Amino acid sequence: MKFAATCLFGLEKLLGEEITELGYNRMETIDGRVIFEADVEDIPRLNINLRYAERVYIIMGEFNASSFTELFDETAKLPWEDFIGEKDVFPVTGHSIKSTLTSIPDCQSIIKKAIVKRLTSVYRVSWFEEIGILYKVEFFMLKDRTWLMIDTSGAPLHKRGYRTESNAAPIRETLAAALATIARPREDVLFWDPMCGSGTIPIEAALLMSNTAPGINRHFAAESFPQIDADWWREAFEEAHDNIKTDCCFEAYASDISEDCVRITRDNIARAGMGRYIKAFQRDALSIVTGGRRGTVVCNPPYGERLMTEEETFRLYRDMGRHFKTLDSWQIYIISSADNFEALYGRRADKVRKLYNGMIRCSYYQYFKGNIKSGAKNSGFNCKIN
């Protein structure tokens, strides 16, 4: 079977590598999605383990359609009865990019009618109650190429379940996981987010380092699909629990100038089960010190849109540049939407990666101040946080 895993723009490479590491064959990468081969029994494992994906879809069909007639006919050919029963619910949503068929409502209506025609011929009924299991059908059109899919995830996969409360400008969990991964967290190097907000970046770093599956504590739409045996879900969750590293000595700090943010962060850390690895406390980011330790700073400062004015944000970037110079050989990773960030910060980044925070185009600025080698001695390092 063919599947599609969607992601934020810029995370396709990480998602593709993750799919390969799980043992699945990648077929194609498009902006914001990776198409690959798997079996229906793999749906639980994919949803539980994919760290950078937003959703996992079953691809029911793929075809060219530049007219509503083509869209209807090709949709009606597909074996929708393999999943959708005669009493099940099947709403249709989707997107059209650079395609002849631009009206989303019209495409929804045509696809819905075509599915009904197919199911009518199979079940021999003229009316569908739609009171049963929910199968969300989604279409994706790109340059007149159409993919028709069934969503297996339900709530987006970035909703891990631990962040029931957040600050005014939370970063999506999938992006936070990517920021942490790119920063190469290590057990012998302190990981510090000095503008932690809701604590998402340190939490995702701890989940990554302890090899805790991001979906281990949540539910998915496909758990109600009769085509997926309950034992497959049980086995996938058991596998995820067995894969957790119980001897991990990763250490992270989550600090913020806001007492309320620190409170939210502590609650989120507890719900994520990452209290062993993360210490949360109140502190101004412009007063952090190395304490003689090796460290990596990863942060998502305000963009000047919701939490600060543009003038205040630019002043903060200048102050960050001046203060972070004092952090000896620490590596610094900062995501920002400001095109002039490097000029404000006062230093050109060693590497810049283009990412998206939701729909906001950002850059991930990476400063390699020192050569931090894994396994190096770290005086005063304590893997257990009191």
Side-chain angles (χ1 to χ4, degrees):
M1 295 179 64
K2 290 174 70 174
F3 289 81
T6 57
C7 64
L8 293 173
F9 292 134
L11 302 191
E12 297 88 352
K13 185 175 185 293
L14 287 173
L15 175 57
E17 291 172 348
E18 186 176 42
I19 288 169
T20 299
E21 288 172 5
L22 285 172
Y24 304 107
N25 179 43
R26 277 185 280 168
M27 303 176 68
E28 185 178 4
T29 299
I30 307 170
D31 285 350
R33 65 193 58 220
V34 178
I35 296 171
F36 60 99
E37 292 179 314
D39 296 319
V40 68
E41 56 263 36
D42 296 316
I43 289 173
R45 190 164 178 256
L46 290 163
N47 276 287
I48 292 168
N49 288 282
L50 289 179
R51 203 172 295 277
Y52 314 106
E54 292 298 319
R55 295 182 188 274
V56 175
Y57 294 97
I58 300 166
I59 297 179
M60 296 297 294
E62 177 185 348
F63 51 82
N64 289 321
S66 57
S67 70
F68 288 129
T69 298
E70 287 179 311
L71 180 61
F72 183 93
D73 291 343
E74 293 298 327
T75 300
K77 291 177 183 178
L78 301 177
W80 297 101
E81 68 277 5
D82 287 353
F83 287 91
I84 303 173
E86 61 179 291
K87 293 185 181 296
D88 293 336
V89 185
F90 50 103
V92 178
T93 58
H95 306 275
S96 178
I97 302 172
K98 299 179 181 178
S99 293
T100 304
L101 304 178
T102 58
S103 171
I104 300 302
D106 286 340
C107 290
Q108 288 175 286
S109 177
I110 293 295
I111 292 169
K112 181 78 173 187
K113 289 176 181 178
I115 296 173
V116 168
K117 179 184 177 182
R118 172 76 185 200
L119 296 180
T120 296
S121 67
V122 172
Y123 297 125
R124 305 298 178 185
V125 296
S126 59
W127 176 257
F128 291 90
E129 296 180 88
E130 296 199 49
I131 58 174
I133 295 168
L134 174 63
Y135 291 91
K136 291 182 65 177
V137 176
E138 182 158 329
F139 62 87
F140 175 65
M141 296 178 176
L142 177 64
K143 298 178 181 178
D144 292 338
R145 191 70 178 164
T146 298
W147 287 263
L148 293 181
M149 307 169 291
I150 291 177
D151 176 24
T152 70
S153 301
L157 296 180
H158 73 260
K159 295 187 176 181
R160 321 293 205 203
Y162 65 76
R163 201 171 72 182
T164 60
E165 188 178 4
S166 62
N167 66 326
I171 191 170
R172 195 172 294 189
E173 293 88 335
T174 43
L175 178 57
L179 300 184
T181 298
I182 295 168
R184 298 180 297 117
R186 283 137 289 179
E187 291 190 8
D188 55 357
V189 178
L190 177 65
F191 185 101
W192 195 338
D193 180 356
M195 303 177 187
C196 67
S198 306
T200 312
I201 294 174
I203 290 172
E204 290 296 326
L207 291 171
L208 174 70
M209 290 299 291
S210 62
N211 202 36
T212 301
I216 202 168
N217 292 318
R218 56 159 284 177
H219 292 285
F220 308 93
E223 288 183 71
S224 65
F225 293 4
Q227 297 85 0
I228 305 176
D229 196 294
D231 285 341
W232 300 343
W233 286 104
R234 178 182 54 77
E235 291 165 3
F237 277 113
E238 287 178 354
E239 178 191 47
H241 280 283
D242 290 342
N243 287 337
I244 295 174
K245 291 174 60 177
T246 58
D247 59 347
C248 177
C249 286
F250 176 67
E251 185 176 12
Y253 285 174
S255 61
D256 200 284
I257 197 170
S258 165
E259 183 179 357
D260 194 45
C261 283
V262 173
R263 177 190 60 78
I264 292 171
T265 293
R266 285 174 176 157
D267 290 343
N268 290 339
I269 291 169
R271 277 187 290 268
M274 294 294 110
R276 173 184 175 186
Y277 307 109
I278 309 170
K279 182 179 180 180
F281 52 92
Q282 187 176 8
R283 188 160 191 172
D284 187 338
L286 303 179
S287 69
I288 67 173
V289 294
T290 67
R293 300 187 58 173
R294 296 179 183 271
T296 296
V297 168
V298 181
C299 63
N300 174 39
Y303 299 167
E305 296 185 9
R306 283 181 283 182
L307 297 181
M308 285 184 171
T309 65
E310 185 178 86
E311 182 181 347
E312 290 171 333
T313 300
F314 288 175
R315 186 184 307 120
L316 172 63
Y317 291 166
R318 294 188 186 96
D319 292 342
M320 287 169 59
R322 284 191 289 268
H323 181 71
F324 286 179
K325 284 181 182 178
T326 69
L327 300 181
D328 301 330
S329 62
W330 281 30
Q331 296 186 356
I332 311 293
Y333 294 78
I334 304 168
I335 186 170
S336 173
S337 64
D339 293 333
N340 59 341
F341 174 83
E342 289 169 296
L344 295 166
Y345 188 76
R347 179 184 168 189
R348 185 178 295 277
D350 296 301
K351 188 173 183 180
V352 180
R353 184 165 182 160
K354 300 300 181 184
L355 297 171
Y356 277 78
N357 187 355
M359 297 303 294
I360 303 173
R361 187 175 183 271
C362 298
S363 294
Y364 193 31
Y365 298 97
Q366 303 168 51
Y367 294 92
F368 310 138
K369 285 194 173 183
N371 183 20
I372 302 177
K373 298 180 180 178
S374 181
K377 290 183 178 180
N378 183 9
S379 60
F381 177 79
N382 178 9
C383 76
K384 184 174 178 59
I385 302 174
N386 295 322

